[in-house]
Amino acid sequence: ETHDDDGSGSGGGYALLCLNAPELDTRFLIDLVEENAPELNFIQRIENPMSYPAIYPERALKVLLYQKSSTNNEHDANKGPTAEGGHKEETRRKDTEEEEKINRW
């Protein structure tokens, strides 16, 4: 569920995804969102609190922050594939950006 800053339901809200399953990594959550909620944009992985330390971050609690696109027009413009393969290229670019954000964490 996403929540809007102003509670109006007009878009631009946030989603906080949490996963505490050592057998599933961050990529699992990213792929799940891309497949089921492509209107959500990855913002960052939230650092676990010191009271919840992890030796192996990918086996620990994973908390990802996403934000819903504020307009549907932006999402609709990139929705389908183009003759030049624009949709696939856009997806690859987003994947790379998300992985870079996760790796910086």
Side-chain angles (χ1 to χ4, degrees), residues 12-60:
Y14 293 90
L16 191 62
L17 282 70
C18 304
L19 178 65
N20 192 21
E23 69 277 9
L24 300 173
D25 62 7
T26 305
R27 185 84 243 164
F28 170 79
L29 279 177
I30 292 171
D31 290 344
L32 193 65
V33 171
E34 286 176 0
E35 182 179 330
N36 296 289
E39 69 278 6
L40 295 178
N41 299 309
F42 179 79
I43 302 297
Q44 69 179 28
R45 180 171 175 174
I46 307 296
E47 188 173 336
N48 292 342
M50 295 303 286
S51 61
Y52 208 87
I55 296 172
Y56 305 106
E58 283 303 309
R59 294 183 51 85

Side-chain angles (χ1 to χ4, degrees), residues 9 16-17 22 30 36 41-43 46 53 55 58 63-64 71-72 76 79 85 88 90-91 95 97 100 103:
L16 191 62
L17 282 70
I30 292 171
N36 296 289
N41 299 309
F42 179 79
I43 302 297
I46 307 296
I55 296 172
E58 283 303 309
V63 181
L64 305 182
T71 63
N72 288 338
D76 290 343
K79 195 170 186 177
K88 290 180 182 177
E90 178 71 15
T91 301
D95 285 349
E97 289 173 359
E100 287 173 358
N103 289 336

Side-chain angles (χ1 to χ4, degrees), residues 1-5 7 9-17 37 39-41 66-69:
E1 179 178 346
T2 61
H3 295 279
D4 298 327
D5 291 336
S10 61
Y14 293 90
L16 191 62
L17 282 70
E39 69 278 6
L40 295 178
N41 299 309
Y66 281 82
Q67 184 174 18
K68 185 175 180 183
S69 298

